[in-house]
């Protein structure tokens, strides 16, 4: 049937019931090798992807599911080929199509095939940022889902995602914003004193912070994009001098702390770049504090469930083998210190005197 007839039918249904279906599942596969490649790249980030989602007579190339609520989509990813650039009709049609779907709550991100193949790293960074921005905007109400049916007027709404009452909500990570003025064209022109002040500023706001992340912050403040070995060595040499003169403290694992800090803050890493959202870049003492907080909230909890909640609280995507290994070591250490106890089933609880 013509699209106009279906659109009128949908509008009349909306006028009668106030319900406007926004997407339906299809069994269609991605339309091109380019879409397949982008879909696999998103899946490698840990997200589930649904290709060719139908919405109001249109089809969205790739829809990224919300890992916190699989019945909800975070983002519509459109994969546009080179021929798209030369077609004014296609661009006009897609502008109208996108405005309609955005009005229904969809968020869009476009990837051009030429950009993807010419500089995939930049496009991956844009894609990750778009997904994270969509995750941060999850307060948008979820519209009802239209299931496939031979009768277009039959609608079923999927159950709303259940928000677990014991989810850990940590305060957001705060970023320092130092400014470093180079005296010349390269990093070597920055005086040691100015570098030391910038390092102190970053550590005071973001500490405890891993030395690798600290080096990135300083390089970025100087307007550079890469942290070479010479630049990193110079930054860490100044850090060691500040530690020697007791302006900072450095602990095992390469973490730099403010000199007067004894208890670390616990913070969500959701707003950090993907490369910085790993447990290896979280100070062991901060991980311990989060684990203890999770166990105390839950009264008693299995180690695997505690690990899942810690990872979610930190704003990370999934509990992989590396994350499990890191958390198991911290849980074992807390048990040896007598701050956690395990019952006969292995479930954890806070020690009476902890």
């Amino acid at each position: 049937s013509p699209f106009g007839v279906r659109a009128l039918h949908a509008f009349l249904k909306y006028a009668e019931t106030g319900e406007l279906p926004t997407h339906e599942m299809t069994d269609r596969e991605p339309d091109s090798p380019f879409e397949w490649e982008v879909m696999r790249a998103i899946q490698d980030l840990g997200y589930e992807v649904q290709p060719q989602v139908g919405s109001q007579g249109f089809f969205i190339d790739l829809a990224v599911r919300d890992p916190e609520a699989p019945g909800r989509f975070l983002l519509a990813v459109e994969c546009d080929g080179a021929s798209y650039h030369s077609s004014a009709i296609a661009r006009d049609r897609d502008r109208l199509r996108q405005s309609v779907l955005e009005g229904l709550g969809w968020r869009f991100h476009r990837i051009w095939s030429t950009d993807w193949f010419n500089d995939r790293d930049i496009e991956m960074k844009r894609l990750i940022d778009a997904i994270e921005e969509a995750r941060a905007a999850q307060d948008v109400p979820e519209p009802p889902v239209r299931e496939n049916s031979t009768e277009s007027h039959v609608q079923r709404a999927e159950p709303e995602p259940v928000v677990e009452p014991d989810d850990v909500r940590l305060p957001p990570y705060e970023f320092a914003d130092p400014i470093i003025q180079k005296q010349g064209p390269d990093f070597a022109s920055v005086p040691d004193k100015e570098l030391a002040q910038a390092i102190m500023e970053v550590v005071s706001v973001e500490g405890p912070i891993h030395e690798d992340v600290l080096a990135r912050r300083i390089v970025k403040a100087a307007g550079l994009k890469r942290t070479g070995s010479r630049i990193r060595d110079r930054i860490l040499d100044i850090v060691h001098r500040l530690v020697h003169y007791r302006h900072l403290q450095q602990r095992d694992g390469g973490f730099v702390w403010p000199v007067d800090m004894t208890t670390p803050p616990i913070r969500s890493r959701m707003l950090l770049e993907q490369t910085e959202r790993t447990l290896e870049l979280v100070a062991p003492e901060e991980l311990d504090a989060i684990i203890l907080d999770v166990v105390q909230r839950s009264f008693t909890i299995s180690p695997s469930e505690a690990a899942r909640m810690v990872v979610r609280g930190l704003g990370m995507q999934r509990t992989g083998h590396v994350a499990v290994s890191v958390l198991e070591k911290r849980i074992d250490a807390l048990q040896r210190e007598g701050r956690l106890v395990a019952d006969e089933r292995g479930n954890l609880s806070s020690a009476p005197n902890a």
Side-chain angles (χ1 to χ4, degrees):
S1 59
F3 172 74
V5 174
R6 298 198 307 274
L8 176 61
H9 182 278
F11 173 75
L12 293 175
K13 187 68 176 177
Y14 169 73
E16 180 184 10
T17 65
E19 297 178 0
L20 187 60
T22 59
H23 50 264
E24 60 183 78
M25 301 302 102
T26 74
D27 295 326
R28 295 173 55 178
E29 294 185 341
D31 279 345
S32 68
F34 173 40
E35 290 180 20
W36 275 108
E37 183 165 341
V38 174
M39 183 172 77
R40 284 191 290 266
I42 298 173
Q43 290 170 336
D44 288 344
L45 294 174
Y47 292 96
E48 185 179 345
V49 184
Q50 181 73 41
Q52 297 298 311
V53 175
S55 191
Q56 291 301 291
F58 303 114
F59 288 95
I60 293 167
D61 293 339
L62 303 171
V64 183
R65 289 189 180 275
D66 186 347
E68 308 296 332
R72 175 171 59 195
F73 289 112
L74 284 175
L75 189 67
V77 179
E78 293 289 271
C79 303
D80 297 318
S83 60
Y84 181 91
H85 289 276
S86 60
S87 173
I89 294 176
R91 292 196 300 270
D92 289 342
R93 180 192 65 220
D94 267 12
R95 275 196 291 267
L96 174 61
R97 166 180 174 271
Q98 181 170 334
S99 67
V100 170
L101 296 179
E102 285 175 340
L104 296 174
W106 284 96
R107 297 173 65 91
F108 274 79
H109 177 72
R110 289 189 179 275
I111 303 176
W112 306 101
S113 60
T114 50
D115 294 339
W116 179 267
F117 293 118
N118 288 336
D119 201 333
R120 175 169 172 159
D121 289 344
I122 290 179
E123 291 305 307
M124 278 299 298
K125 175 65 167 59
R126 290 182 60 247
L127 176 60
I128 291 169
D129 290 345
I131 294 174
E132 292 307 313
E133 287 175 7
R135 291 190 69 174
Q138 288 179 7
D139 56 343
V140 177
E142 171 66 1
V145 176
R146 177 179 172 179
E147 306 250 350
N148 268 347
S149 173
T150 54
E151 297 181 286
S152 61
H153 63 278
V154 176
Q155 301 177 21
R156 297 192 191 96
E158 290 186 3
E160 294 184 1
V162 176
V163 178
E164 299 180 28
D166 57 352
D167 275 356
V168 180
R169 304 292 183 185
L170 300 182
Y173 191 99
E174 293 187 17
F175 295 88
D177 188 24
I179 298 175
I180 297 176
Q181 300 291 341
K182 299 193 297 292
Q183 306 298 318
D186 54 22
F187 193 80
S189 66
V190 181
D192 284 358
K193 182 178 180 180
E194 189 165 355
L195 284 181
Q197 290 174 343
I199 290 169
M200 291 289 294
E201 181 179 346
V202 172
V203 176
S204 68
V205 175
E206 300 187 39
I209 182 172
H210 194 275
E211 59 188 23
D212 290 343
V213 180
L214 173 59
R216 290 179 206 157
R217 297 287 189 272
I218 299 303
V219 167
K220 183 178 179 181
L224 302 176
K225 294 183 178 180
R226 298 185 59 185
T227 308
S229 58
R230 288 185 179 180
I231 293 176
R232 183 181 184 277
D233 290 345
R234 185 183 175 205
I235 293 171
L236 295 186
D237 178 65
I238 295 176
V239 169
H240 296 154
R241 280 187 270 164
L242 291 169
V243 171
H244 176 75
Y245 289 105
R246 298 185 180 180
H247 296 300
L248 295 175
Q249 55 176 316
Q250 189 165 21
R251 302 190 184 182
D252 292 343
F255 291 92
V256 186
W257 293 56
V259 69
D260 56 350
M261 178 178 284
T262 55
T263 302
I266 55 177
R267 306 160 287 183
S268 169
R269 261 68 176 175
M270 180 173 287
L271 299 180
L272 269 66
E273 293 185 6
Q274 183 75 18
T275 54
E276 295 180 6
R277 297 211 321 267
T278 65
L279 291 183
E280 296 92 329
L281 297 179
V282 182
E285 295 84 352
E286 186 174 351
L287 279 180
D288 291 351
I290 299 171
I291 293 169
L292 291 169
D293 182 65
V294 164
V295 173
Q296 188 173 21
R297 288 168 183 260
S298 306
F299 182 67
T300 182
I301 189 173
S302 68
S304 61
E305 182 67 9
R308 183 189 69 82
M309 290 182 63
V310 168
V311 169
R312 288 181 64 174
L314 285 167
M316 300 176 186
Q317 295 171 1
R318 50 184 175 175
T319 315
H321 296 298
V322 174
V324 169
S325 176
V326 171
L327 292 171
E328 284 179 347
K329 290 179 181 178
R330 298 317 312 160
I331 289 172
D332 289 344
L334 290 169
Q335 288 182 265
R336 289 195 302 271
E337 295 168 6
R339 302 167 74 185
L340 285 181
V341 294
D343 60 21
E344 63 279 2
R345 295 183 179 180
N347 290 332
L348 302 170
S349 59
S350 297
N353 298 324

